[in-house]
Amino acid sequence: MRPQFFLFLLLFLVVLPFSARADLNAFLGDLNHRAAASPLDYNTRLGSQFGVPPHQVATLMRSVAKPADAFMVLQLAHMRGMPHDRVLNVYNSNRNKGWGVIAKELGIKPGSPEFHALKDGRFTFTGTPSSRGPGFNGPGTGGQDNWQNANDPSPGKGKGHNKHK
């Protein structure tokens, strides 16, 4: 076989794992850049996506360290089906510990599809409301509202998920 083929194969195997999985920090960084570029548009889309009135979005934005933190407060509130004020309280108590700790405090179990979505940064910022109820507006590709990663054929069962005693 040709040496170019092996070089291509090696490059493919090295680059693919890094490009196929965005992480939470990359997603949050992108949100912060969007918010800096157009704060009014960011706030409007944030409120629209999570069904939060503009005055509450403005209050939330003043209560968090970065614009992406407001997204995460609303996303976690939506995932857990709880008021965003409650998530904001947990955020304020644990903001220096990271989103994984905040998620655990809110009852999102490590190993669950929701926790994996959080760690991988598999969320969407579309600015359009979810067509499903709480807990289902999460990661997806192409605007899909599901927890299943399009590149992951597994059914999403992790530790603590659907265990029967």
Side-chain angles (χ1 to χ4, degrees), residues 22-42:
D23 67 356
L24 183 61
N25 290 333
F27 176 77
L28 297 178
D30 179 57
L31 288 182
N32 286 326
H33 286 295
R34 288 185 193 194
S38 182
L40 182 58
D41 180 58
Y42 180 82

Side-chain angles (χ1 to χ4, degrees), residues 1 14 36-37 48 61 65 77 90-91 94 103 107 126 131 151 157 159:
M1 288 194 206
V14 169
S48 177
M61 293 297 286
V90 174
Y91 163 83
N94 297 285
T126 62
S131 60
N151 298 323
K157 292 184 181 179
K159 294 179 183 176

Side-chain angles (χ1 to χ4, degrees), residues 35 98 134 152:
D152 182 8

Side-chain angles (χ1 to χ4, degrees), residues 122-126 128 138-146 148-150:
R122 285 184 278 130
F123 296 116
T124 57
F125 183 59
T126 62
T128 58
T141 56
Q144 297 171 353
D145 266 350
N146 60 29
Q148 186 71 27
N149 182 345

